[in-house]
């Protein structure tokens, strides 16, 4: 198996995902990804004619994000017509899966140069725009398994794991504080580039979502976001959403609703891309790669609780790389909800000082299809800043899945 080298990783700032209010909301998602692709080529100096494929994650593939976002972004970027594009949906893991597929193409020996990344404009195509719910409205599947919204799953994990409201709020505060410090020290600047308007002016050059003024008091004052949803009747026999979840977990007498807008991932717009090259391409063009992919893994888990798979996915990726938890210098565990990294750290025995050291999606936002590729770039930048070696990036995924990737500096 060949080595997949990471030449570079770039991302847009994350803009607030509110129509007409976020600084990127007036830009088509194809344009966000197109600018990202052009920035990646500009920084690395590769010939766009040599790029064999662009793989992009995107979750809500309807309206402006339909019609193969990746191929249209390639065309919008002015890349040669010979460059192909494909768009995939592995829910929140889409951006990392796109990067992994690009790396796989190189590692298999079938491609020399490939890009993996993603884009999501949550201001223009909000979550749920495909109107498919979690099960794709398959009534036959629903007879076998009733899935619940992710917020209910997050609160179920907290209930079973005895993570309190204070636990998740303290983690959320830490995310904001770490992001604040990272921004002040310019830690994101290596991957970040300024998105431009059609007239050439700057649309956004910094992450727009963080709230550095956040305190534990302001977080504790927020109402739980999913209590009313949990009390809604949604079952075939009049069961509430909470009761549907408890069918699979009868030991739970009541779900403690601890998550809210302040300790859950933020709704934002953004795009990211990572360039992978083969060893032969690197040598032939005198390039200096930044890292290599050590291993990749996905795994399925119980689909009602849904969000517990980062731990087994990470363990699977570590086993493939011949590494242990303590061999990883930095972890990026996506903060879909505060309980997800808390649960993953507990299950694997990870030192919290190695996890999301620059904050995460609670502070910075979670542009669904792009987040995984963004986290890969963030991890790589931080490895270089601290002169460390290995990082593991992992995300929970709707429907009960997890994804993980191990990278190593070269």
């Amino acid at each position: 198996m060949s080595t997949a080298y990471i030449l570079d990783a770039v991302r847009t700032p994350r803009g607030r995902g509110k129509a007409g209010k976020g600084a990127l909301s007036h830009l088509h998602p194809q344009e966000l990804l197109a600018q990202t692709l052009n920035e990646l080529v500009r920084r690395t100096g590769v010939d766009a004619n040599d790029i064999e494929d662009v793989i992009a994650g995107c979750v809500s593939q309807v309206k402006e994000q339909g019609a193969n976002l990746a191929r249209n972004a390639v065309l919008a970027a002015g890349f040669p017509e010979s460059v192909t594009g494909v768009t995939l949906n592995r829910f929140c893991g889409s951006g990392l899966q796109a990067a992994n597929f690009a790396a796989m193409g190189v590692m298999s020996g079938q491609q020399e140069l490939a890009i993996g990344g993603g884009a999501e404009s949550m201001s223009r195509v909000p979550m749920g725009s495909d109107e498919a719910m979690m099960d794709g409205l398959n009534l036959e599947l629903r007879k076998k398994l009733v899935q619940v919204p992710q917020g209910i799953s997050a609160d179920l994990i907290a209930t079973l794991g005895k993570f309190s409201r204070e636990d998740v709020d303290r983690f959320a505060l830490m995310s904001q504080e770490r992001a604040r410090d990272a921004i002040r020290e310019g830690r994101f600047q290596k991957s970040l580039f300024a998105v431009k308007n059609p007239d050439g002016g700057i649309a956004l050059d910094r992450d727009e979502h963080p709230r550095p003024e956040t305190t534990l008091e302001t977080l504790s004052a927020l109402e739980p976001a999913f209590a009313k949803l949990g009390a809604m009747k949604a079952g075939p026999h009049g069961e509430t959403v909470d009761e549907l979840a408890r069918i699979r977990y009868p030991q739970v007498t009541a779900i403690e609703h601890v998550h809210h807008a302040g300790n859950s991932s933020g709704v934002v717009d953004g795009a990211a891309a990572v360039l992978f090259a083969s060893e032969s391409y690197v040598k032939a063009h005198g390039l200096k790669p930044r890292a290599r992919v050590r291993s990749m893994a996905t795994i399925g888990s119980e689909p009602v609780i849904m969000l517990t798979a980062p731990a087994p996915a990470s363990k699977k990726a570590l086993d493939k790389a011949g590494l242990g938890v303590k061999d990883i210098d930095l972890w990026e565990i996506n903060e879909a909800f505060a309980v997800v990294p808390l649960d993953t750290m507990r299950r694997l025995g990870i030192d919290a000082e190695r996890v999301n050291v620059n904050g995460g999606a609670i502070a910075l936002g979670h542009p669904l299809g792009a987040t995984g590729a963004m986290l890969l770039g963030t991890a790589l930048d931080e490895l270089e800043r601290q002169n460390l070696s290995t990082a593991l990036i992992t995300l929970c995924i709707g429907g009960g899945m997890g994804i993980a990737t191990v990278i190593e500096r070269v």
Side-chain angles (χ1 to χ4, degrees), residues 183-227:
I183 291 168
R184 285 177 179 174
E185 296 176 16
R187 298 182 197 171
F188 298 132
Q189 292 307 114
K190 194 163 188 177
S191 292
L192 202 64
F193 73 94
V195 174
K196 294 183 178 179
N197 293 314
D199 63 5
I202 293 177
L204 186 64
D205 61 1
R206 58 178 176 79
D207 290 310
E208 197 177 23
H209 189 268
R211 294 177 172 83
E213 71 282 0
T214 299
T215 65
L216 199 59
E217 289 70 30
T218 59
L219 290 171
S220 64
L222 296 173
E223 291 292 323
F226 306 107

Side-chain angles (χ1 to χ4, degrees), residues 6-63:
I6 300 171
L7 296 184
D8 211 347
V10 300
R11 71 170 178 91
T12 69
R14 296 170 174 92
R16 285 197 305 158
K18 293 187 177 181
K21 296 182 179 180
L24 299 180
S25 64
H26 64 292
L27 294 171
H28 197 288
Q30 292 174 15
E31 298 299 326
L32 292 179
L33 184 54
Q35 289 194 36
T36 309
L37 296 175
N38 278 325
E39 181 66 15
L40 189 60
V41 169
R42 185 192 69 79
R43 291 189 183 191
T44 57
V46 301
D47 186 344
N49 286 285
D50 294 341
I51 299 169
E52 297 186 62
D53 204 6
V54 173
I55 306 166
C58 183
V59 175
S60 298
Q61 294 184 37
V62 295
K63 302 177 181 177

Side-chain angles (χ1 to χ4, degrees), residues 30-258:
Q30 292 174 15
E31 298 299 326
L32 292 179
L33 184 54
Q35 289 194 36
T36 309
L37 296 175
N38 278 325
E39 181 66 15
L40 189 60
V41 169
R42 185 192 69 79
R43 291 189 183 191
T44 57
V46 301
D47 186 344
N49 286 285
D50 294 341
I51 299 169
E52 297 186 62
D53 204 6
V54 173
I55 306 166
C58 183
V59 175
S60 298
Q61 294 184 37
V62 295
K63 302 177 181 177
E64 292 174 315
Q65 291 181 167
N68 194 351
L69 174 69
R71 173 58 175 172
N72 283 320
V74 165
L75 298 175
F79 276 19
E81 292 179 356
S82 60
V83 180
T84 54
V86 61
T87 310
L88 64 86
N89 178 12
R90 199 190 283 277
F91 296 131
C92 296
S94 298
L96 190 58
Q97 186 62 72
N100 287 355
F101 278 159
M104 288 178 192
V106 171
M107 294 168 79
S108 71
Q110 296 302 305
Q111 294 175 336
E112 296 292 320
L113 202 63
I115 293 175
E120 202 87 29
S121 178
M122 301 179 75
S123 61
R124 298 171 76 100
V125 189
M127 283 188 294
S129 292
D130 59 4
E131 300 180 351
M133 300 181 67
M134 191 57 65
D135 58 15
L137 304 177
N138 182 350
L139 299 183
E140 294 303 314
L141 173 59
R142 204 170 291 179
K143 291 176 185 177
K144 301 173 185 176
L145 173 73
V146 178
Q147 300 179 62
V148 298
Q150 288 190 8
I152 302 298
S153 298
D155 286 340
L156 177 59
I157 295 169
T159 303
L160 287 166
K162 294 182 169 45
F163 293 103
S164 68
R165 169 67 182 264
E166 184 177 355
D167 290 335
V168 291
D169 280 355
R170 285 193 180 280
F171 184 89
L173 178 61
M174 183 175 65
S175 180
Q176 294 283 358
E177 291 175 340
R178 288 180 172 182
R180 176 200 64 203
D181 293 344
I183 291 168
R184 285 177 179 174
E185 296 176 16
R187 298 182 197 171
F188 298 132
Q189 292 307 114
K190 194 163 188 177
S191 292
L192 202 64
F193 73 94
V195 174
K196 294 183 178 179
N197 293 314
D199 63 5
I202 293 177
L204 186 64
D205 61 1
R206 58 178 176 79
D207 290 310
E208 197 177 23
H209 189 268
R211 294 177 172 83
E213 71 282 0
T214 299
T215 65
L216 199 59
E217 289 70 30
T218 59
L219 290 171
S220 64
L222 296 173
E223 291 292 323
F226 306 107
K228 290 181 180 179
L229 176 62
M232 289 178 57
K233 293 188 176 182
H237 306 293
E239 303 96 335
T240 66
V241 175
D242 277 359
E243 287 170 342
L244 292 174
R246 288 170 48 219
I247 290 172
R248 194 67 181 258
Y249 295 89
Q251 70 271 37
V252 175
T253 56
I255 295 176
E256 296 293 327
H257 293 286
V258 298

